Amino acid sequence: MTDPMDWTVSERVEAVVLAGLLAAPGRWDDFADELSPEMFAVPWLRQVFVELRRQLEDGRGVDVLALANALEGEVGLADVTCLATLSMSGAALSRHVAQLIDARRERQLRDAASRFAEIAEGEGSVQERIEAAQALLSGLDANAPGDDWVGVDEALRTHLALLERRMEG
């Protein structure tokens, strides 16, 4: 872990959200449906989130020692303690969760921009590339699932439709 003073704004937001959940575990239900590991770009903060979520969903009390013990070998006690020392008000937690969600969506948008360039230069007909770009763009919708996985049923239906279009000429 680096010194918190050297963290980027995104890293600070991730850390403050975790600190807020550590300080006010009763607020977990307010954000459980909105937060996912993919929102945490920093690997050790993602590990902390996964363990914190597990403990909160198991209904166990959450504290620095329990969290550090569960993360032993992955994240040190000093790192978890550092999170616990970040102070914030309970009211600010909602704002920081919103910032975390925005940061995740921004990373998705940047990733999509590079994938658009690949699609534009890719192989296949222009129409196929346009459809691929539209599918990618629709995945950026705020209501779209955030885990970046496509359901098997949806993937099979999309593939079947593509095969039918190819057969039709």
Side-chain angles (χ1 to χ4, degrees):
M1 182 190 86
T2 60
D3 182 347
M5 297 305 289
D6 296 332
W7 290 351
T8 65
V9 172
S10 178
E11 290 170 326
R12 282 189 204 119
V13 168
E14 292 178 23
V16 167
V17 166
L18 293 173
L21 290 172
L22 264 171
R27 301 278 320 267
W28 170 248
D29 289 339
D30 297 342
F31 307 108
D33 293 336
E34 298 177 61
L35 296 174
S36 66
E38 296 81 17
M39 293 181 171
F40 294 85
V42 180
W44 76 270
L45 291 173
R46 185 178 313 116
Q47 290 174 311
V48 170
F49 171 77
V50 168
E51 180 57 31
L52 181 63
R53 176 181 65 181
R54 188 177 68 74
Q55 290 184 17
L56 289 167
E57 289 179 352
D58 286 350
R60 294 184 280 163
V62 177
D63 61 56
V64 173
L65 289 177
L67 197 56
N69 285 338
L71 292 165
E72 189 174 346
E74 297 175 31
V75 179
L77 176 60
D79 297 339
V80 177
T81 303
C82 177
L83 287 176
T85 62
L86 297 174
S87 62
M88 60 175 290
S89 68
L93 184 57
S94 296
R95 182 171 40 96
H96 291 300
V97 168
Q99 288 174 326
L100 181 64
I101 291 168
D102 285 347
R104 167 70 173 151
R105 296 199 68 228
E106 185 176 342
R107 288 192 305 273
Q108 288 175 316
L109 182 59
R110 286 190 177 128
D111 179 55
S114 66
R115 290 172 49 197
F116 278 129
E118 291 171 7
I119 290 170
E121 299 298 324
E123 296 180 12
S125 71
V126 172
Q127 185 60 38
E128 289 172 341
R129 289 183 282 155
I130 288 171
E131 289 170 5
Q134 287 173 332
L136 179 60
L137 186 59
S138 70
L140 294 176
D141 180 9
N143 298 321
D147 61 3
D148 298 331
W149 287 94
V150 177
V152 173
D153 183 58
E154 180 183 342
L156 288 173
R157 289 178 191 274
T158 302
H159 185 68
L160 193 59
L162 176 65
L163 291 175
E164 288 175 354
R165 283 195 310 272
R166 285 186 177 168
M167 289 180 69
E168 293 173 0

